[in-house]
Amino acid sequence: MAKSTNLSDDKILASLRGGSEERRRALQYFFSNPELMQWTLRYVQAHGGAEQDGRDVFEEAFIIFERQVRTDHFRGDSSLKTWFHSIVRWQWLVAQRKTRPMVDLEQINLPSSQPDPEKLLIKEERRVMLEQFLVLVGERCQRLLGYFQLNYSMQEIRQLAGFSSNQVASNEVHGCRKKLKSLIEQHPELQEALKYRN
Amino acid sequence: MKNWYNVIETYNLGKMHAPQRAQFEAAMADDPALAQAVQQHRIEWEAGELLAEKALRAQIRQLMREQADKPGSWFSINWKWALLVTTIMAAGAAVIFKNKQPVAPAVQYPSNSPLGKDSIPPTPPSFATQEHRDTPIGKPVNPPVAGRKIAGGVKAMALAAYQSSESFSQVRSLAGENDSLSLAQEAFAKKDYRLALRYLSSLPLDSRQEGLSLRGHSHFLAGDYAAASNDFSELRAGGVYIRDAQWFGLLATIATPGADKNNWMKRLDAICLDKKHPFQKDAAALLEKLEKR
């Protein structure tokens, strides 16, 4: 396997969108690349955070980055490193805003051609409500829906969940999606509470 | 007429250009069914993303564990850089040492930092004083304000009254040792409240109450009193942690800026009047202090 630090932007993006082994390699690139981590730690520490804050921000930034790649929000207009750095800066402000609501997210200039990253953030109060609601879906469905959302193939889901065939995996995932949809429909109070307000 | 239903995802993910977005929002205003479908999609998407995050974090943790088993790999690749940086730093330090008197290592955080003087440091290293390092889990834990100057308001009183409950140390998960609750307990015991909160970002299905209790205490000790109050509020609805939740939830509410005083005073009174409440004496002491203010 090539050294993770030598992967080009295109390869990393392709890996993040690829099969399980490729995604694993992309994860390895991010989490074993000292350059990205060190930059994040330096940035957070230079802006009043502790080392652990930096590590937290790094992981959160990766989660957002992965989501942006998966939902085609990252178009490659800037280099991966530049984009990741901007997410780190954004994420640090988001973290600060939790304790200091006056921190202004406008301070961060993200590359203008990229779609609004805030649309991809799930606010804390919504998380709490959704987590409580997701208990109703059941643990098995939670796992399957998580894999499905990460764009895992049915073959990967079959292997991870131990189904006998891809068709069974597909049926199970479909059933879980239906269950989630119908549970949401059955809970108008949740819909009201989670009414999206910009 | 355009079929807006086909572009709900594009709208919800913020990928629509401004003119089309304006048209879409106008269509939503005219068509409540479309607005409802948008809402439903957003909830489904967010729910899926939370579950995706959970799976991704599990992969990250696994990767980190694997990396931890291979120490030195980074150094073996980058030893030349490390040597160069160390040499430069040593040379720099020598120059500084020659030209300057040593300065006391006082840590000062900028005023807009979450570690600023008015806030509670959210990570254990920031307040890992001898006092805190020596406090075993299950024994009363001083709040992270110990030794810090906080104006003598109600918040300070609530923090001073905070104690970790005995039952808290007995929280046990039903699952194996590597489940998120056990990992969170381990992190909590090491006073890494931030890490504990990460493990508890999704609560374990089979030990939800234990998870909520631990998360409430972690939020409290990390200085996020509003979140702690939320977690304890759910526990107050019933279950084995109800009394703990009444007391610690109350303290979290009192410590939350802008909390409704009438509401928390009623809750405090209720505990004071309940002679069988395990925290009745603590509540009475707190009430007395508040009345003396």
Side-chain angles (χ1 to χ4, degrees):
Chain A
M1 193 180 90
K3 277 180 193 171
S4 56
T5 45
N6 291 339
L7 289 176
S8 69
D9 284 9
D10 287 345
K11 273 191 177 167
I12 295 158
L13 294 176
S15 297
L16 275 171
R17 295 182 179 119
S20 58
E21 195 45 50
E22 287 168 300
R23 277 196 303 269
R24 191 180 154 73
R25 197 201 289 194
L27 267 182
Q28 221 157 14
Y29 168 80
F30 274 90
F31 285 86
S32 58
N33 180 346
E35 213 181 304
L36 283 176
M37 176 63 93
Q38 290 309 321
W39 187 91
T40 306
L41 294 182
R42 272 201 308 275
Y43 179 82
V44 169
Q45 286 175 322
H47 291 81
E51 185 182 330
Q52 187 56 44
D53 296 321
R55 292 185 190 283
D56 291 348
V57 164
F58 185 82
E59 187 174 320
E60 295 307 317
F62 175 76
I63 299 273
I64 293 287
F65 181 78
E66 188 276 339
R67 184 176 294 158
Q68 287 182 330
V69 172
R70 183 159 37 82
T71 53
D72 291 329
H73 274 70
F74 180 74
R75 298 177 189 139
D77 298 347
S78 53
S79 79
L80 183 148
K81 203 164 77 176
T82 307
W83 184 241
F84 189 78
H85 288 177
S86 64
I87 299 174
V88 166
R89 287 195 286 268
W90 174 274
Q91 198 57 47
W92 175 233
L93 282 183
V94 170
Q96 284 182 299
R97 203 163 58 160
K98 280 184 189 168
T99 44
R100 295 189 179 260
M102 297 311 286
V103 172
D104 187 4
L105 287 181
E106 299 294 321
Q107 291 174 37
I108 288 293
N109 294 318
L110 289 159
S112 57
S113 58
Q114 304 286 353
D116 179 6
E118 201 159 14
K119 284 274 184 188
L120 297 183
L121 291 178
I122 305 169
K123 290 181 178 138
E124 199 56 36
E125 62 271 22
R126 297 174 72 83
R127 280 176 180 272
V128 173
M129 278 188 265
L130 280 166
E131 274 167 18
Q132 290 169 4
F133 174 74
L134 280 169
V135 174
L136 301 174
V137 181
E139 197 169 9
R140 190 183 61 90
C141 274
Q142 284 191 18
R143 279 180 64 205
L144 295 181
L145 290 170
Y147 296 149
F148 180 78
Q149 191 84 3
L150 286 173
N151 291 339
Y152 281 23
S153 68
M154 286 304 153
Q155 190 181 347
E156 287 173 298
I157 295 178
R158 171 176 72 82
Q159 287 164 351
L160 285 164
F163 294 125
S164 56
S165 70
N166 292 355
Q167 188 55 51
V168 174
S170 174
N171 292 345
E172 292 288 332
V173 169
H174 180 66
C176 288
R177 292 187 70 200
K178 237 169 115 179
K179 186 177 178 184
L180 175 66
K181 207 178 173 69
S182 118
L183 277 168
I184 295 170
E185 282 166 359
Q186 287 163 24
H187 288 80
E189 76 285 357
L190 177 86
Q191 295 194 34
E192 186 51 39
L194 290 175
K195 207 164 218 169
Y196 198 74
R197 295 169 186 96
N198 287 313
Chain B
M1 188 183 116
K2 184 161 183 163
N3 187 356
W4 291 111
Y5 286 83
N6 294 336
V7 289
I8 287 175
E9 181 166 306
T10 314
Y11 172 76
N12 265 341
L13 296 186
K15 285 156 72 175
M16 217 173 244
H17 294 297
Q20 198 189 9
R21 190 167 62 238
Q23 287 177 7
F24 187 88
E25 283 167 357
M28 268 202 297
D30 288 343
D31 181 359
L34 175 64
Q36 172 69 21
V38 169
Q39 170 72 7
Q40 169 101 10
H41 176 276
R42 179 77 199 182
I43 297 174
E44 279 176 46
W45 180 81
E46 287 188 348
E49 281 303 319
L50 283 189
L51 299 172
E53 258 186 56
K54 199 173 166 183
L56 203 54
R57 286 187 203 281
Q59 287 173 17
I60 293 169
R61 278 200 295 275
Q62 193 190 339
L63 187 75
M64 299 305 250
R65 273 199 295 271
E66 284 170 13
Q67 281 184 3
D69 292 341
K70 291 189 259 177
S73 56
W74 179 84
F75 189 78
S76 63
I77 294 167
N78 298 287
W79 67 271
K80 284 180 187 170
W81 288 107
L83 187 64
L84 180 65
V85 170
T86 312
T87 311
I88 292 169
M89 283 172 70
V95 170
I96 292 167
F97 187 75
K98 264 191 168 182
N99 295 327
K100 267 189 161 184
Q101 286 292 326
V103 178
V107 179
Q108 288 193 336
Y109 299 109
S111 60
N112 64 345
S113 151
L115 301 179
K117 63 178 179 175
D118 293 337
S119 65
I120 302 307
T123 51
S126 308
F127 56 88
T129 59
Q130 192 60 40
E131 186 180 357
H132 279 94
R133 279 196 297 271
D134 294 345
T135 308
I137 185 112
K139 297 287 178 191
V141 172
N142 287 329
V145 287
R148 299 173 66 114
K149 282 183 187 171
I150 287 190
V154 289
K155 179 180 171 184
M157 288 184 192
L159 296 180
Y162 178 87
Q163 284 186 329
S164 194
S165 92
E166 286 291 325
S167 60
F168 184 42
S169 63
Q170 292 157 15
V171 166
R172 288 289 178 264
S173 165
L174 302 172
E177 286 180 0
N178 286 323
D179 65 312
S180 58
L181 182 58
S182 303
L183 292 168
Q185 283 175 290
E186 197 181 318
F188 187 92
K190 289 177 183 165
K191 304 193 189 307
D192 193 343
Y193 307 116
R194 187 76 61 93
L195 183 61
L197 288 170
R198 169 140 309 155
Y199 283 130
L200 294 168
S201 61
S202 285
L203 293 166
L205 292 174
D206 51 359
S207 321
R208 185 173 173 79
Q209 293 223 327
E210 286 75 9
L212 263 176
S213 173
L214 187 59
R215 197 168 73 178
H217 283 283
S218 300
H219 274 309
F220 195 109
L221 289 164
D224 190 348
Y225 307 112
S229 177
N230 276 342
D231 281 344
F232 288 126
S233 138
E234 192 183 329
L235 281 172
R236 289 209 316 269
V240 290
Y241 297 101
I242 188 165
R243 299 298 186 95
D244 288 8
Q246 284 167 349
W247 174 239
F248 294 120
L250 170 66
L251 295 180
T253 306
I254 296 174
T256 304
D260 177 0
K261 190 181 172 190
N262 286 337
N263 170 286
W264 61 253
M265 276 305 281
K266 275 183 198 165
R267 284 161 58 191
L268 181 59
D269 281 341
I271 299 177
C272 287
L273 293 170
D274 182 354
K275 299 287 176 202
K276 287 182 184 171
H277 200 290
F279 294 99
Q280 192 266 341
K281 282 183 184 167
D282 301 285
L286 178 59
L287 185 62
E288 196 183 326
K289 278 185 194 169
L290 287 166
E291 282 170 351
K292 278 185 188 166
R293 274 182 82 225

